[in-house]
Amino acid sequence: KVIEKICLLFGIPSTRIYRCTWKDDGSHNPPTECSDGIHVLSGANGLSKIPETNTYFVADSPGGKLLILSREFDGSLKIDYTISLPHPIDNIVYNSVSHSVTVGSTPHVLNVLLKIGSLYGEVIPGGMAEVKLLKNGNLVNEFSKGFDVILHNGEKLSKVSVGVRSGDYVILGSPFTNGVLVCPQN
C-alpha cells in the first residue's frame, strides 16, 4: 500500500486498462484472451460513455486528468484527448442533456492520501468540475479556464467523490459522509 500511495502522489503510472475477450457461449468463464492496453494512468477511478458512440471517458484521479478514448474497430481503446484539470478528480458522469462530463474534484488530494485510513470525520474540501462538449462531438477544455462549477470547504460534505447537475442545483456525494449536499448554482 505504501508503494501505491507513492505512485499516486507522484503520478507514476500504476493502472492499466486491458482489452479482454470472452467466448460468446453464455458461460461465465474467465476471459479467453487479455491484451495489455493503456498504461499511462496513475490511478484510474471512474468510467463513462456517450451512448450510441464509441467515446469513453476515464478519470485519472490523482493525476488530475480526464482521458477521452475511442474504441477502435478491433475493440481496443485509443486515447484521443487528455485534459489536465485544476484538481485531482473522482468518478465521471456523462450528461446527455447538457452534453457535458462532470467529475467530483478534490483540491487537497495530499490530505486524502495521508488520511486514507481515517477519512471518516475529517474535513476535506471538494466540489464538482465540468467539461462541455461541442455539438459536433469535439471537446472543449473548459478546465483550463478554471471551470469549477462549485468548490466548498468540506464542512458540510467532506471528500467529495461525485457531482451532478439537477436543474438549478448541483448535487455532491461522498462515500465517507452520510447523505448528499444540494447546492444552488450561482
Side-chain angles (χ1 to χ4, degrees), residues 126-137:
M128 184 187 89
E130 184 173 43
V131 171
K132 294 205 177 221
L133 304 171
L134 295 175
K135 291 192 180 189
N136 66 4

Side-chain angles (χ1 to χ4, degrees), residues 156-158 162 171-182:
K156 293 183 179 179
L157 184 76
S158 185
V162 67
I171 301 170
L172 302 174
S174 168
F176 302 101
T177 307
N178 292 329
V180 296
L181 183 61
V182 179

Side-chain angles (χ1 to χ4, degrees), residues 23-132:
K23 286 185 179 176
D24 192 16
D25 61 2
S27 67
H28 298 286
N29 294 324
T32 55
E33 176 188 345
C34 283
S35 57
D36 197 2
I38 299 166
H39 56 275
V40 297
L41 306 166
S42 58
N45 190 18
L47 173 70
S48 191
K49 180 183 186 297
I50 299 177
E52 286 105 34
T53 71
N54 289 321
T55 303
Y56 294 81
F57 305 96
V58 174
D60 189 7
S61 295
K65 294 180 179 139
L66 177 65
L67 277 66
I68 295 87
L69 308 153
S70 59
R71 182 171 293 283
E72 300 291 297
F73 182 74
D74 68 356
S76 63
L77 293 172
K78 175 185 84 159
I79 298 174
D80 291 326
Y81 303 97
T82 300
I83 299 175
S84 294
L85 310 175
H87 311 294
I89 61 173
D90 199 2
N91 294 313
I92 298 174
V93 177
Y94 174 72
N95 184 324
S96 60
V97 174
S98 66
H99 301 288
S100 66
V101 177
T102 59
V103 295
S105 62
T106 307
H108 301 287
V109 75
L110 183 58
N111 288 346
V112 174
L113 292 175
L114 293 175
K115 300 173 183 178
I116 200 74
S118 62
L119 282 176
Y120 294 95
E122 296 290 335
V123 175
I124 298 174
M128 184 187 89
E130 184 173 43
V131 171
K132 294 205 177 221

